[in-house]
Amino acid sequence: MKAVQFTRFGPPDVLELVELPVPEPGLSEVLIRVHAAGVNFFEVLMRADRYAATPDLPMFPGVEVAGIIERAGPGADRSLIGTRVAVPLFAIGRGSGGYAEFAAVDGGAVVPLPDAVSFEAAAALMVQGLTALHLLRRSPVKGKIVLVNAAAGGVGSLLLQLARRDAAKMVIAAASSDEKRALSLSLGADHAADYTAPGWQEDVKRLTGGLGVDIIYETVGGAVSKAALDVLAPCGELVLAAMGRFGLEAADVEHMLDDNQSIKGFSLLPLLTPEGVREDLAALFELAAAGALTVTDGGRFPLHQAAEAHRAIEERRAVGKVVLVP
Protein backbone atom coordinates (compact mmCIF):
# COMPACT_ATOMS: atom_id res chain seq x y z
CA MET A 1 0.00 0.00 0.00
CA LYS A 2 0.98 3.64 -0.30
CA ALA A 3 1.55 5.73 2.82
CA VAL A 4 3.06 9.10 3.70
CA GLN A 5 6.01 9.56 6.03
CA PHE A 6 8.70 12.05 6.97
CA THR A 7 12.18 11.10 8.10
CA ARG A 8 13.35 14.61 8.97
CA PHE A 9 11.73 17.80 10.16
CA GLY A 10 11.24 20.71 7.81
CA PRO A 11 8.97 22.25 5.16
CA PRO A 12 6.08 20.37 3.51
CA ASP A 13 8.42 18.76 0.98
CA VAL A 14 9.83 16.46 3.68
CA LEU A 15 6.59 14.47 3.31
CA GLU A 16 7.23 11.53 1.00
CA LEU A 17 5.11 8.74 -0.46
CA VAL A 18 6.39 5.24 0.34
CA GLU A 19 5.32 1.65 -0.28
CA LEU A 20 4.52 -0.50 2.75
CA PRO A 21 2.97 -3.95 3.22
CA VAL A 22 -0.79 -3.90 3.74
CA PRO A 23 -1.21 -4.48 7.49
CA GLU A 24 -2.51 -7.86 8.57
CA PRO A 25 -5.46 -7.54 10.96
CA GLY A 26 -4.54 -9.17 14.24
CA LEU A 27 -6.66 -10.56 17.06
CA SER A 28 -10.01 -8.71 17.19
CA GLU A 29 -8.81 -6.26 14.52
CA VAL A 30 -10.38 -5.22 11.22
CA LEU A 31 -8.70 -3.95 8.06
CA ILE A 32 -10.08 -0.68 6.72
CA ARG A 33 -9.60 0.62 3.21
CA VAL A 34 -9.18 4.32 3.84
CA HIS A 35 -11.36 6.64 1.77
CA ALA A 36 -10.51 9.84 3.64
CA ALA A 37 -7.79 10.80 6.11
CA GLY A 38 -7.97 14.05 8.00
CA VAL A 39 -5.13 16.59 7.93
CA ASN A 40 -4.73 18.76 11.03
CA PHE A 41 -2.81 21.90 11.93
CA PHE A 42 -0.99 20.14 14.74
CA GLU A 43 0.42 17.70 12.15
CA VAL A 44 1.77 20.67 10.22
CA LEU A 45 3.45 21.88 13.41
CA MET A 46 4.73 18.38 14.20
CA ARG A 47 6.26 18.01 10.73
CA ALA A 48 8.18 21.25 11.29
CA ASP A 49 9.11 20.24 14.87
CA ARG A 50 7.12 23.18 16.25
CA TYR A 51 4.57 21.13 18.19
CA ALA A 52 4.42 20.75 21.96
CA ALA A 53 5.81 17.20 21.60
CA THR A 54 8.51 16.03 19.18
CA PRO A 55 7.65 12.72 17.47
CA ASP A 56 10.09 9.91 16.83
CA LEU A 57 11.30 9.48 13.26
CA PRO A 58 10.33 8.11 10.83
CA MET A 59 6.87 9.49 11.43
CA PHE A 60 3.73 8.35 9.60
CA PRO A 61 1.23 11.16 10.29
CA GLY A 62 -2.53 10.96 10.42
CA VAL A 63 -4.85 10.35 13.38
CA GLU A 64 -8.33 10.08 11.83
CA VAL A 65 -9.57 7.88 9.00
CA ALA A 66 -12.88 6.93 7.45
CA GLY A 67 -13.47 4.09 5.06
CA ILE A 68 -14.89 0.60 4.53
CA ILE A 69 -14.00 -2.55 6.45
CA GLU A 70 -12.52 -5.09 4.03
CA ARG A 71 -11.31 -7.91 6.29
CA ALA A 72 -11.75 -9.17 9.83
CA GLY A 73 -8.97 -10.71 11.87
CA PRO A 74 -9.29 -13.62 14.31
CA GLY A 75 -11.99 -12.93 16.87
CA ALA A 76 -13.32 -9.85 15.09
CA ASP A 77 -16.97 -9.53 14.10
CA ARG A 78 -17.11 -10.65 10.47
CA SER A 79 -20.51 -9.00 10.02
CA LEU A 80 -18.63 -5.68 10.02
CA ILE A 81 -17.09 -6.46 6.61
CA GLY A 82 -18.41 -4.00 4.03
CA THR A 83 -19.61 -1.41 6.55
CA ARG A 84 -18.75 2.29 6.43
CA VAL A 85 -16.91 3.40 9.54
CA ALA A 86 -14.89 6.21 11.08
CA VAL A 87 -11.89 5.58 13.31
CA PRO A 88 -10.50 8.25 15.66
CA LEU A 89 -6.98 6.82 15.86
CA PHE A 90 -5.92 9.55 18.31
CA ALA A 91 -8.53 8.35 20.81
CA ILE A 92 -7.39 4.71 20.84
CA GLY A 93 -3.71 5.25 21.52
CA ARG A 94 -2.69 5.51 17.86
CA GLY A 95 -0.99 8.81 17.16
CA SER A 96 0.03 8.03 13.61
CA GLY A 97 -0.57 6.05 10.43
CA GLY A 98 -3.67 7.69 8.98
CA TYR A 99 -2.11 9.01 5.77
CA ALA A 100 -2.30 5.61 4.10
CA GLU A 101 -4.45 3.40 1.90
CA PHE A 102 -5.19 0.88 4.66
CA ALA A 103 -5.33 0.78 8.44
CA ALA A 104 -5.74 -2.17 10.82
CA VAL A 105 -7.51 -1.28 14.08
CA ASP A 106 -9.36 -2.92 16.95
CA GLY A 107 -12.86 -3.76 15.77
CA GLY A 108 -14.29 -2.24 18.94
CA ALA A 109 -12.84 1.16 18.06
CA VAL A 110 -14.77 1.75 14.85
CA VAL A 111 -17.78 4.06 14.79
CA PRO A 112 -20.55 3.30 12.26
CA LEU A 113 -20.96 6.00 9.64
CA PRO A 114 -24.43 6.85 8.31
CA ASP A 115 -24.82 6.67 4.54
CA ALA A 116 -25.78 10.36 4.50
CA VAL A 117 -22.37 11.39 5.91
CA SER A 118 -19.45 11.39 3.48
CA PHE A 119 -16.07 9.95 4.40
CA GLU A 120 -14.61 13.45 4.11
CA ALA A 121 -17.19 14.86 6.53
CA ALA A 122 -16.49 12.03 8.95
CA ALA A 123 -12.80 12.95 8.92
CA ALA A 124 -13.72 16.53 9.80
CA LEU A 125 -15.94 15.51 12.70
CA MET A 126 -13.31 13.56 14.61
CA VAL A 127 -10.47 15.76 15.90
CA GLN A 128 -12.19 19.00 14.97
CA GLY A 129 -15.75 18.01 15.80
CA LEU A 130 -14.79 16.58 19.18
CA THR A 131 -12.66 19.65 19.87
CA ALA A 132 -15.58 21.99 19.17
CA LEU A 133 -17.91 19.87 21.29
CA HIS A 134 -15.57 19.78 24.29
CA LEU A 135 -14.71 23.47 24.03
CA LEU A 136 -18.39 24.22 24.55
CA ARG A 137 -18.54 21.83 27.48
CA ARG A 138 -15.56 23.55 29.08
CA SER A 139 -17.32 26.91 28.79
CA PRO A 140 -21.05 26.69 28.03
CA VAL A 141 -22.43 29.53 25.90
CA LYS A 142 -26.13 29.75 26.73
CA GLY A 143 -27.10 33.41 27.02
CA LYS A 144 -23.54 34.63 26.46
CA ILE A 145 -21.71 36.69 23.84
CA VAL A 146 -18.89 34.67 22.33
CA LEU A 147 -16.00 35.33 19.97
CA VAL A 148 -14.70 32.47 17.82
CA ASN A 149 -11.24 33.11 16.41
CA ALA A 150 -10.23 31.36 13.14
CA ALA A 151 -13.96 30.93 12.67
CA ALA A 152 -13.73 29.58 9.11
CA GLY A 153 -11.28 26.84 10.03
CA GLY A 154 -12.19 23.25 10.75
CA VAL A 155 -12.76 23.75 14.48
CA GLY A 156 -14.09 27.29 14.26
CA SER A 157 -16.70 26.57 11.59
CA LEU A 158 -18.14 23.72 13.67
CA LEU A 159 -17.80 25.59 16.94
CA LEU A 160 -19.84 28.59 15.84
CA GLN A 161 -22.64 26.33 14.60
CA LEU A 162 -22.73 24.35 17.83
CA ALA A 163 -22.62 27.58 19.86
CA ARG A 164 -25.66 28.80 17.94
CA ARG A 165 -27.44 25.49 18.68
CA ASP A 166 -26.56 25.89 22.37
CA ALA A 167 -28.36 29.26 22.52
CA ALA A 168 -25.47 31.70 22.62
CA LYS A 169 -26.77 35.27 22.89
CA MET A 170 -24.41 36.44 20.11
CA VAL A 171 -21.74 34.68 18.06
CA ILE A 172 -18.99 36.87 16.59
CA ALA A 173 -16.75 35.17 14.06
CA ALA A 174 -13.19 36.45 13.63
CA ALA A 175 -11.45 35.51 10.39
CA SER A 176 -8.73 36.89 8.15
CA SER A 177 -10.37 37.27 4.72
CA ASP A 178 -13.64 38.37 3.12
CA GLU A 179 -14.26 34.80 1.94
CA LYS A 180 -13.78 33.36 5.41
CA ARG A 181 -15.96 35.95 7.06
CA ALA A 182 -18.72 35.40 4.50
CA LEU A 183 -18.55 31.66 5.17
CA SER A 184 -18.81 32.24 8.92
CA LEU A 185 -21.90 34.37 8.46
CA SER A 186 -23.48 31.75 6.20
CA LEU A 187 -22.95 29.17 8.95
CA GLY A 188 -24.86 31.20 11.51
CA ALA A 189 -22.52 33.78 13.03
CA ASP A 190 -24.30 37.01 13.94
CA HIS A 191 -21.33 39.19 13.00
CA ALA A 192 -17.86 38.79 11.53
CA ALA A 193 -14.65 40.70 12.27
CA ASP A 194 -11.24 40.85 10.58
CA TYR A 195 -8.72 40.13 13.33
CA THR A 196 -5.85 41.10 11.01
CA ALA A 197 -7.13 44.66 10.56
CA PRO A 198 -5.86 47.49 12.79
CA GLY A 199 -8.44 48.45 15.38
CA TRP A 200 -10.66 45.41 14.84
CA GLN A 201 -11.25 45.27 18.57
CA GLU A 202 -13.20 48.55 18.46
CA ASP A 203 -15.59 47.04 15.91
CA VAL A 204 -16.25 44.11 18.25
CA LYS A 205 -16.83 46.44 21.19
CA ARG A 206 -19.38 48.41 19.15
CA LEU A 207 -21.17 45.17 18.24
CA THR A 208 -21.48 44.32 21.93
CA GLY A 209 -22.64 47.78 22.96
CA GLY A 210 -19.30 48.39 24.64
CA LEU A 211 -19.68 45.39 26.94
CA GLY A 212 -17.15 43.08 25.31
CA VAL A 213 -17.49 39.32 24.90
CA ASP A 214 -18.08 36.81 27.67
CA ILE A 215 -16.07 33.97 26.13
CA ILE A 216 -13.22 33.92 23.60
CA TYR A 217 -12.52 30.57 21.99
CA GLU A 218 -8.88 30.94 20.93
CA THR A 219 -7.26 28.40 18.61
CA VAL A 220 -4.67 30.64 16.93
CA GLY A 221 -2.42 31.71 19.80
CA GLY A 222 0.49 34.14 19.90
CA ALA A 223 -0.26 37.77 19.04
CA VAL A 224 -3.88 36.95 18.20
CA SER A 225 -4.57 35.83 21.78
CA LYS A 226 -3.00 39.00 23.16
CA ALA A 227 -4.99 41.26 20.82
CA ALA A 228 -8.26 39.48 21.59
CA LEU A 229 -7.96 40.29 25.30
CA ASP A 230 -8.96 43.87 24.46
CA VAL A 231 -12.53 42.70 23.76
CA LEU A 232 -12.93 40.37 26.75
CA ALA A 233 -15.55 41.61 29.20
CA PRO A 234 -14.95 41.81 32.95
CA CYS A 235 -15.38 38.32 34.44
CA GLY A 236 -14.94 36.89 30.93
CA GLU A 237 -13.13 33.70 29.95
CA LEU A 238 -10.33 33.12 27.46
CA VAL A 239 -10.44 29.44 26.46
CA LEU A 240 -7.03 28.69 24.98
CA ALA A 241 -6.80 25.68 22.68
CA ALA A 242 -3.60 26.77 20.89
CA MET A 243 -1.20 24.27 22.44
CA GLY A 244 2.42 25.39 22.32
CA ARG A 245 1.48 28.89 21.12
CA PHE A 246 0.81 30.73 24.38
CA GLY A 247 1.58 34.39 23.69
CA LEU A 248 0.50 36.20 26.85
CA GLU A 249 2.95 37.98 29.12
CA ALA A 250 2.84 38.46 32.87
CA ALA A 251 1.40 41.97 32.46
CA ASP A 252 -1.47 40.58 30.38
CA VAL A 253 -2.31 38.01 33.03
CA GLU A 254 -2.12 40.61 35.80
CA HIS A 255 -4.56 42.82 33.88
CA MET A 256 -6.92 39.84 33.52
CA LEU A 257 -6.78 39.24 37.26
CA ASP A 258 -7.67 42.88 37.89
CA ASP A 259 -10.77 42.45 35.70
CA ASN A 260 -11.78 39.12 37.30
CA GLN A 261 -11.09 37.40 33.99
CA SER A 262 -9.86 33.83 33.65
CA ILE A 263 -7.85 31.65 31.31
CA LYS A 264 -8.94 28.08 30.71
CA GLY A 265 -6.49 25.71 29.14
CA PHE A 266 -7.79 23.15 26.68
CA SER A 267 -6.29 19.83 25.63
CA LEU A 268 -8.62 17.34 23.98
CA LEU A 269 -7.07 13.95 24.72
CA PRO A 270 -7.34 14.02 28.54
CA LEU A 271 -11.07 14.72 28.19
CA LEU A 272 -11.81 11.62 26.11
CA THR A 273 -13.07 8.20 27.15
CA PRO A 274 -13.67 5.30 24.74
CA GLU A 275 -17.41 5.21 25.35
CA GLY A 276 -17.68 9.00 25.36
CA VAL A 277 -15.91 9.25 22.00
CA ARG A 278 -18.28 6.74 20.41
CA GLU A 279 -21.35 8.53 21.79
CA ASP A 280 -20.12 11.99 20.83
CA LEU A 281 -19.14 10.98 17.31
CA ALA A 282 -22.47 9.23 16.80
CA ALA A 283 -24.22 12.45 17.88
CA LEU A 284 -22.10 14.60 15.55
CA PHE A 285 -22.70 12.19 12.64
CA GLU A 286 -26.45 12.32 13.35
CA LEU A 287 -26.44 16.12 13.25
CA ALA A 288 -24.51 16.10 9.97
CA ALA A 289 -26.78 13.45 8.45
CA ALA A 290 -29.84 15.51 9.36
CA GLY A 291 -28.35 18.65 7.80
CA ALA A 292 -28.18 20.37 11.19
CA LEU A 293 -24.39 20.67 11.10
CA THR A 294 -22.50 21.76 7.99
CA VAL A 295 -19.00 20.44 7.39
CA THR A 296 -16.93 22.77 5.23
CA ASP A 297 -14.74 21.16 2.58
CA GLY A 298 -11.29 22.73 2.83
CA GLY A 299 -9.75 20.76 -0.03
CA ARG A 300 -9.19 17.16 -1.09
CA PHE A 301 -5.74 15.94 -2.04
CA PRO A 302 -4.43 12.54 -3.16
CA LEU A 303 -1.77 10.96 -0.97
CA HIS A 304 1.05 12.01 -3.27
CA GLN A 305 0.01 15.64 -2.75
CA ALA A 306 0.21 15.50 1.05
CA ALA A 307 2.82 18.29 0.94
CA GLU A 308 0.38 20.55 -0.89
CA ALA A 309 -2.30 19.75 1.68
CA HIS A 310 0.10 20.87 4.43
CA ARG A 311 0.92 24.05 2.50
CA ALA A 312 -2.77 24.89 2.19
CA ILE A 313 -3.09 24.75 5.97
CA GLU A 314 0.27 26.35 6.76
CA GLU A 315 -0.39 29.31 4.46
CA ARG A 316 -3.94 29.60 5.83
CA ARG A 317 -5.45 29.12 2.39
CA ALA A 318 -7.76 26.37 3.59
CA VAL A 319 -11.33 27.10 4.64
CA GLY A 320 -12.75 24.16 6.60
CA LYS A 321 -11.36 20.63 6.68
CA VAL A 322 -8.47 19.44 4.50
CA VAL A 323 -8.45 15.72 3.73
CA LEU A 324 -6.34 13.21 1.88
CA VAL A 325 -8.23 10.80 -0.39
CA PRO A 326 -6.15 7.67 -1.04
Side-chain angles (χ1 to χ4, degrees):
M1 69 171 185
K2 293 180 174 62
V4 175
Q5 71 169 13
F6 59 91
T7 58
R8 58 189 175 88
F9 299 110
D13 290 336
V14 302
L15 296 172
E16 57 181 342
L17 195 65
V18 296
E19 293 279 348
L20 297 175
V22 174
E24 188 70 24
L27 183 65
S28 300
E29 288 188 333
V30 294
L31 180 69
I32 298 170
R33 179 180 288 276
V34 178
H35 285 252
V39 182
N40 295 285
F41 185 61
F42 76 85
E43 292 159 359
V44 170
L45 296 175
M46 192 175 289
R47 185 213 72 230
D49 199 18
R50 293 191 288 119
Y51 191 55
T54 297
D56 295 329
L57 299 177
M59 174 65 181
F60 294 88
V63 298
E64 51 193 350
V65 299
I68 296 175
I69 296 177
E70 287 208 345
R71 292 170 54 196
D77 184 356
R78 295 187 59 81
S79 68
L80 292 173
I81 295 174
T83 59
R84 305 171 78 250
V85 295
V87 187
L89 298 175
F90 61 94
I92 60 172
R94 287 271 301 275
S96 63
Y99 296 9
E101 291 180 315
F102 291 92
V105 301
D106 189 306
V110 304
V111 181
L113 186 62
D115 289 340
V117 180
S118 69
F119 295 118
E120 294 82 3
L125 290 170
M126 285 185 268
V127 170
Q128 295 175 343
L130 290 173
T131 296
L133 202 61
H134 280 276
L135 279 168
L136 290 172
R137 288 176 181 167
R138 288 284 287 149
S139 292
V141 300
K142 185 175 181 179
K144 296 185 176 180
I145 300 174
V146 303
L147 174 71
V148 178
N149 275 341
V155 172
S157 61
L158 297 171
L159 179 58
L160 70 86
Q161 294 177 76
L162 293 173
R164 173 58 61 212
R165 286 184 59 84
D166 285 357
K169 180 179 180 180
M170 180 188 297
V171 178
I172 302 173
S176 60
S177 71
D178 290 340
E179 176 191 10
K180 292 178 180 180
R181 291 188 292 277
L183 172 65
S184 300
L185 292 170
S186 74
L187 294 175
D190 295 294
H191 305 283
D194 180 359
Y195 65 66
T196 67
W200 68 273
Q201 298 98 322
E202 293 305 315
D203 293 335
V204 172
K205 289 178 182 177
R206 280 194 294 272
L207 292 171
T208 63
L211 299 174
V213 303
D214 299 306
I215 304 173
I216 299 172
Y217 293 104
E218 173 53 57
T219 60
V220 181
V224 174
S225 300
K226 185 179 178 71
L229 284 182
D230 288 345
V231 303
L232 189 61
C235 302
E237 299 178 9
L238 171 67
V239 187
L240 189 70
M243 289 183 64
R245 304 188 298 283
F246 184 78
L248 303 184
E249 300 172 353
D252 300 314
V253 177
E254 289 177 7
H255 182 74
M256 293 183 71
L257 296 177
D258 290 339
D259 281 347
N260 295 301
Q261 296 167 336
S262 61
I263 302 173
K264 281 187 178 179
F266 180 87
S267 179
L268 179 62
L269 284 179
L271 303 176
L272 302 180
T273 64
E275 187 57 34
V277 166
R278 291 179 60 85
E279 291 177 358
D280 288 341
L281 286 179
L284 289 168
F285 293 161
E286 183 178 345
L287 286 173
L293 187 61
T294 299
V295 177
T296 305
D297 184 350
R300 307 177 188 190
F301 300 84
L303 282 179
H304 71 270
Q305 290 184 1
E308 183 56 31
H310 272 224
R311 283 192 193 93
I313 293 176
E314 200 162 35
E315 297 170 3
R316 301 199 178 277
R317 290 185 279 118
V319 176
K321 182 67 173 182
V322 174
V323 297
L324 297 177
V325 284

